[in-house]
Amino acid sequence: MIELKNVTVKFGSASVLENFALTVSNGEHTALMGPSGSGKTTVLKLIAGQLKPCSGQVKVGAEKISYMFQEPRLIPWLTAEENVNLVLGDSPATLPLAQEWLRRVGLAGAEHKYSSELSGGMRQRVALARALAYNGDLFLFDEPLSSLDKTLADEMLVLIKRYTKGKTVVFVTHSFEQAKQVADSIYVLKK
Amino acid sequence: MNTRSIIRKIVIILFWIGIWAAAAEVMQKSLLLPSPVSVFVRIFELLLIRDFWKITLLSLVRISLGILAAIILGIVLASVTHYSNLLKELLSPVLTVVKVTPVASFIILALIWIGRDNVPIVISGLMVLPVVWNNVSAGLRNIDSTLMEMADIYCIPRHIRYKRIVLPSVMPYFLSAIQTSIGIGWKAGIAAEVLTVPVLSIGKMIYESKMYMETTDLFAWTLVVICISLLIETILMKFVKKLGQKYNSEVSAHD
């Protein structure tokens, strides 16, 4: 269960969120939409505990969070499989599982590549594989399919739905189509 | 290195030895400039003396000890000052003092405080310490915070974080410190030996050759110092390259 009550976040004098409220029940899939700068990523950061609100309450009932950031945040000196394996315990025994996740996101053959050798879309899929492999109680996706073409984005959306079934999800996107496919409820944030 | 470049290097060295020989021939004063032949003969003679190896080894051990201690201390100080602002503020004047104080002042002070045998250890260490401290601090400061956030979110254990994020981030800075400081540490250590003349040391041999106007000996011992310096540099480069490859491709790129 996620509950944000009367949350206000300010960066300097600029107010990003003001008296913002959001409730997501356990197992519910929620999409956040809105123009750039409306505070979607800020909401995810609040939920992940990376940001403290200036005022208001943030309650998150999850032990393990799978967060797919807006940028892939891959470790450049690790290969794709090592990046995924990192969240699985970084042991040789879990490497086949990391490889399996890469195969699921369509990256079979790219296991030994470094992020500098991958395209933007491939990096995003490695980050997706990492988030899904971690298998949190709560999934936070920040525009997870923004670098993918429509066909690939649809395939990844199917994957996200399959592996987050029964889990709480907050999905940030600019695409209404994606929000519709993934979410039980959609919030639209205004600037 | 291919045969062609080896030959090229040998020819360059021979060229400069030739210049040296010509200059010695023109001057005809072995007290000021001995001929290369006499210097090489002297080195050969030295190699046959048992004390030569003892002296060289002791100088090497003494100075290496100082360098090694400085590397360890530099890493420890960089780590504690990175995580504690109070310690950073408290210890930063020490770093500044070590950096700006003339090495000769330190040699004299160390001579008074700790006795001549340990001065080269301290001096070589003092040359290496600020470089390692500074560079490792810079490496720690430049760790990508977004990667650390990612590690927080995914609850990556501390030891894996160190192995996979911290160490590879700091390694290029550390290796660069090693590359730049060890040669300086070695030379400063020899200088300290010359000024403090510990028993059985290269510095003492250089000092005595100056005292007795044995210029050939002075050249011979200087050449020994140069050869050891080159040897250390070669071994070090191999070590740095290997460590760079072990940790990440980024390290190799920084080399």
Side-chain angles (χ1 to χ4, degrees):
Chain A
M1 170 98 166
I2 300 167
E3 200 173 8
L4 278 77
K5 262 190 200 168
N6 296 325
V7 168
T8 298
V9 176
K10 285 181 182 178
F11 295 127
S13 58
S15 193
V16 181
L17 294 173
E18 234 177 280
N19 295 322
F20 179 80
L22 172 76
T23 307
V24 184
S25 312
N26 282 342
E28 189 184 347
H29 288 201
T30 299
L32 296 182
M33 295 190 67
S36 298
S38 58
K40 303 183 297 292
T41 301
T42 306
V43 173
L44 292 190
K45 283 184 176 174
L46 285 166
I47 297 170
Q50 289 186 304
L51 195 68
K52 296 276 172 251
C54 299
S55 63
Q57 276 188 331
V58 179
K59 282 185 191 166
V60 178
E63 291 281 309
K64 224 175 144 188
I65 301 174
S66 282
Y67 190 170
M68 191 177 162
F69 305 92
Q70 206 166 29
E71 67 286 0
R73 298 199 187 182
L74 301 181
I75 298 176
W77 45 83
L78 298 186
T79 59
E81 63 178 17
E82 286 169 338
N83 266 289
V84 176
N85 199 31
L86 199 67
V87 301
L88 294 170
D90 199 35
S91 125
T94 51
L95 209 53
L97 186 57
Q99 289 163 349
E100 174 59 21
W101 275 109
L102 286 173
R103 193 193 57 73
R104 284 176 191 162
V105 297
L107 288 175
E111 297 91 344
H112 304 299
K113 290 196 168 154
Y114 293 94
S115 66
S116 59
E117 299 168 314
L118 301 171
S119 69
M122 288 164 104
R123 273 181 232 157
Q124 206 163 36
R125 280 184 283 158
V126 176
L128 176 62
R130 182 177 63 190
L132 294 175
Y134 187 61
N135 195 24
D137 317 318
L138 166 63
F139 281 84
L140 304 174
F141 293 102
D142 198 350
E143 298 183 39
L145 313 171
S146 58
S147 302
L148 307 181
D149 60 55
K150 187 166 179 340
T151 320
L152 211 49
D154 286 344
E155 280 176 33
M156 293 305 115
L157 216 52
V158 170
L159 212 65
I160 289 173
K161 279 170 73 178
R162 187 191 303 163
Y163 290 105
T164 59
K165 214 171 189 172
K167 304 281 174 83
T168 313
V169 174
V170 181
F171 191 95
V172 166
T173 180
H174 282 290
S175 155
F176 186 64
E177 278 302 306
Q178 288 176 11
K180 238 177 25 179
Q181 278 188 63
V182 123
D184 308 314
S185 53
I186 301 173
Y187 281 71
V188 180
L189 278 73
K190 288 180 184 164
K191 250 185 168 177
Chain B
M1 207 190 291
N2 56 28
T3 325
R4 205 184 154 91
S5 65
I6 292 172
I7 292 171
R8 205 184 169 92
K9 279 198 168 168
I10 292 172
V11 169
I12 289 168
I13 292 167
L14 287 174
F15 168 78
W16 285 107
I17 291 175
I19 296 279
W20 172 13
E25 193 60 36
V26 170
M27 283 176 81
Q28 287 290 330
K29 281 180 184 166
S30 64
L31 200 66
L32 288 180
L33 185 65
S35 73
V37 176
S38 63
V39 172
F40 290 129
V41 167
R42 184 67 189 126
I43 289 177
F44 186 71
E45 285 169 1
L46 286 174
L47 291 174
L48 299 176
I49 304 168
R50 196 194 294 168
D51 267 2
F52 166 83
W53 297 102
K54 216 169 165 180
I55 288 166
T56 309
L57 195 70
L58 273 174
S59 280
L60 199 60
V61 169
R62 209 178 279 130
I63 294 167
S64 303
L65 212 65
I67 290 172
L68 195 69
I71 290 172
I72 295 167
L73 191 64
I75 294 170
V76 171
L77 286 171
S79 306
V80 296
T81 50
H82 179 71
Y83 293 107
S84 161
N85 256 338
L86 176 71
L87 280 174
K88 188 181 177 179
E89 282 174 38
L90 198 71
L91 293 172
S92 63
V94 179
L95 182 64
T96 312
V97 167
V98 171
K99 276 199 285 191
V100 299
T101 307
V103 66
S105 306
F106 272 128
I107 294 174
I108 307 295
L109 275 175
L111 190 60
I112 298 165
W113 288 342
I114 55 173
R116 62 180 183 171
D117 283 349
N118 296 323
V119 175
I121 303 176
V122 174
I123 296 305
S124 55
L126 276 177
M127 292 297 108
V128 176
L129 179 71
V131 186
V132 173
W133 186 354
N134 245 345
N135 277 32
V136 174
S137 293
L140 287 168
R141 267 198 313 275
N142 286 308
I143 293 174
D144 187 343
S145 60
T146 64
L147 294 182
M148 294 308 272
E149 268 178 17
M150 181 275 294
D152 282 340
I153 288 289
Y154 287 110
C155 299
I156 293 168
R158 201 170 281 265
H159 69 281
I160 298 177
R161 248 179 245 214
Y162 273 95
K163 185 180 155 200
R164 294 303 204 179
I165 302 174
V166 177
L167 216 54
S169 301
V170 175
M171 200 50 82
Y173 294 87
F174 172 68
L175 293 181
S176 148
I178 296 289
Q179 267 175 291
T180 51
S181 67
I182 288 194
I184 302 167
W186 167 248
K187 280 184 273 186
I190 295 292
E193 281 188 349
V194 173
L195 289 173
T196 57
V197 286
V199 190
L200 294 175
S201 67
I202 294 178
K204 189 185 178 207
M205 302 316 290
I206 292 175
Y207 177 79
E208 282 180 355
S209 39
K210 176 218 138 194
M211 282 288 288
Y212 305 120
M213 300 294 275
E214 293 282 1
T215 321
T216 311
D217 272 24
L218 178 65
F219 270 70
W221 280 108
T222 307
L223 265 179
V224 168
V225 173
I226 292 170
C227 288
I228 294 173
S229 209
L230 289 174
L231 193 71
I232 292 171
E233 203 172 297
T234 310
I235 295 169
L236 207 69
M237 282 308 292
K238 286 212 165 126
F239 164 77
V240 164
K241 219 172 170 180
K242 215 170 179 174
L243 259 185
Q245 281 163 354
K246 185 183 168 188
Y247 279 98
N248 60 61
S249 50
E250 294 259 304
V251 175
S252 316
H254 278 78
D255 288 345

